[in-house]
Amino acid sequence: MSTGPSQAAARRRDRRVYLRGHPLLFALLAATRGRPVRRFGRTLLVHDAAAYREALTRLPLDRTAAGTTGGAARAAGAAGVLFDQEGGAHRSERRGLVVGLGAAGVEELRAVWRPLLVRRLAPLAQGGEVDLVDLARELSGSVVCALLGSQAEPRAVAEAAAAAAAASVRSHLPGAHGPRAESAAVRTAERLRLLLTPAPRLCPHLGPSPTPGCPASGSASGSASGSGCGSGSESDCPSPGPDSGCGPGLGDQSALRAMLAVAAVNTTVAALPRAVAWCADAGLWQDAADARLRPVLAGELLRVTAASPLLPRVAAADGAVAGCPVRGGDRLLLVARHAAEAHRRDPDAHRPAGPDAAQLVFGAGPHACPGARLARAQLVDVLEELAPYRPVVTRARVDRRAALPGWRSLTVRAGA
Ligand code: HEM
C-alpha cells in the first residue's frame, strides 16, 4: 500500500540511521528512557531535559577522562581543544571562536555557502537528482576552510574530518580494537591537522618581512577584510581572519583547528540530509517555503534529528543529577535526543517545542556548541533553496562507519 507524506513515514526513515548503525545502543536507550536517570553499575543514562542540563551545568566533569569527547581528542594527540578544557583557559580559547561564529561572522560565511547551494541544487530544475550528503560534505568543508583561512580542498577536509572522527569513536568503543585502532585515530587526526596547516605565504605588501610592519595588518581587532597578510608563521599573524591563514582567534593551534573541523563537518554532514529527508517525508515543504516559519522549522528539524544524540561524560567529583547520587569517576551518557524530546514530539513549525528544548541538542552551559547559529542558518538556507522543488527522497543509504548516525548518501529529486 502506498502512503503519502506523514510524520510517521519521516520518523520511520530517520530511525534507520540508529537501527542500522547502532542497533544495541538504540535499543538500550529506548528501553531505559522511562526514568529521568538510570544507573547501571558506574554508568548513568541521563534522559530527562532537567537532568541533562543539570549534568552539563552543575556537576563537575572530568573533561579529559578516557571515553569522553575531550579524552578522545587527547588520545588522538590533541590537547587544548575546548572539549578537554575548563575555566579560564577554556574561556580565552573559546572567545575568538565565538566572535567568528557570531551574527556577523555567520553572515560572512553565508557568502560561501549560498552560491554553492545554488550551483549544487541546479540539477533539480532539469529533473535531475542531487545527493545531499555529498552536498553537505562540500558545504561544510568550504565553510571550515573559509572559517580557518585554509586553502585546502574542501572535500578533502570533509573526508579527513570524517575519517578522524570515525577512527576516534572506533578506538573508544567498548571492546575496542587495541593499539591499531588507537594509532589509526592518531594518524587520521594528524592528517587532518596537516591538511589544515596553511602553507607559508608572503605578505603581498612587504614580501617575507615580519608582519607587524604590514600596512594591511593594522586592525588590532582582527580584520576579516582578507588582506592576505601572513608571515608564514600563524602565531605571528596579528590579523586573524578568513584570509589570514589563522582563523578567528585560533592563532597557531593546529589541534584546535582540526577539532573545529571535526565538530563542524561531522555534525553538518549528519544533520542537513536527515533534516531535509524528514521535511520531505513529512510533507513540510509549505512551511519551508514560508519565510516566517522557515527558521522555526529549521530549529524543529535540528531538534528531532539531534545530530549529536549522545554526549559521553565522566563526573570529576561527587554530586547528584535529578536527585540520583553521582560519584567522582562515574560515567554519564547524556542522551541529547531524549532531553530534546526528539523521540516523542514531531517537528511542528506552528507549535514548536520552544527554544529551550531546541537548544539542548547543542548542549548547555559553558561548553554549549558555539556553532549552533551557523548550523541553523545553513539549514534555513538549504530549506529555502529546496522548497520551490518540493523534493522527494529517491534513495537513502545509512553510513554505518560514521561517527554520528547519518546517511552515506541521500538522493532527492523535484517532487510532482
Ligand atoms: C547540527 C549541528 C551541530 C550540533 C547538533 C552540535 C552539537 C554540539 C554539542 C552537543 C556540543 C557539546 C556541548 C556541551 O558539551 O555542552 C558541541 C560542541 C561544540 N561544537 Fe557543535 N554542533 C553542531 C554544529 C557545529 C558547527 C557547525 C561547529 C563549528 C563551526 C561546531 C563547533 C563546536 C565546538 C568547537 C564545540 C566545543 C565547544 C566547547 O567545548 O566549548 N558545532 N556541539
Side-chain angles (χ1 to χ4, degrees), residues 56 63 82-83 90 94 97 101 147 260 263-264 267-268 271 302 307-308 311 313 361-364 366-371 374-375:
L56 284 171
R63 295 270 163 194
L82 297 175
F83 285 103
H90 173 253
R94 209 179 133 105
L97 182 58
L101 292 170
L147 194 58
L260 184 71
T267 50
T268 306
L302 288 172
S308 186
L311 312 188
R313 300 288 183 265
V361 294
F362 294 102
H367 285 262
C369 178
L374 172 63

Side-chain angles (χ1 to χ4, degrees), residues 293-315:
L293 291 177
R294 198 181 305 123
V296 188
L297 177 63
E300 281 289 275
L301 290 169
L302 288 172
R303 178 181 66 76
V304 290
T305 49
S308 186
L310 197 62
L311 312 188
R313 300 288 183 265
V314 166

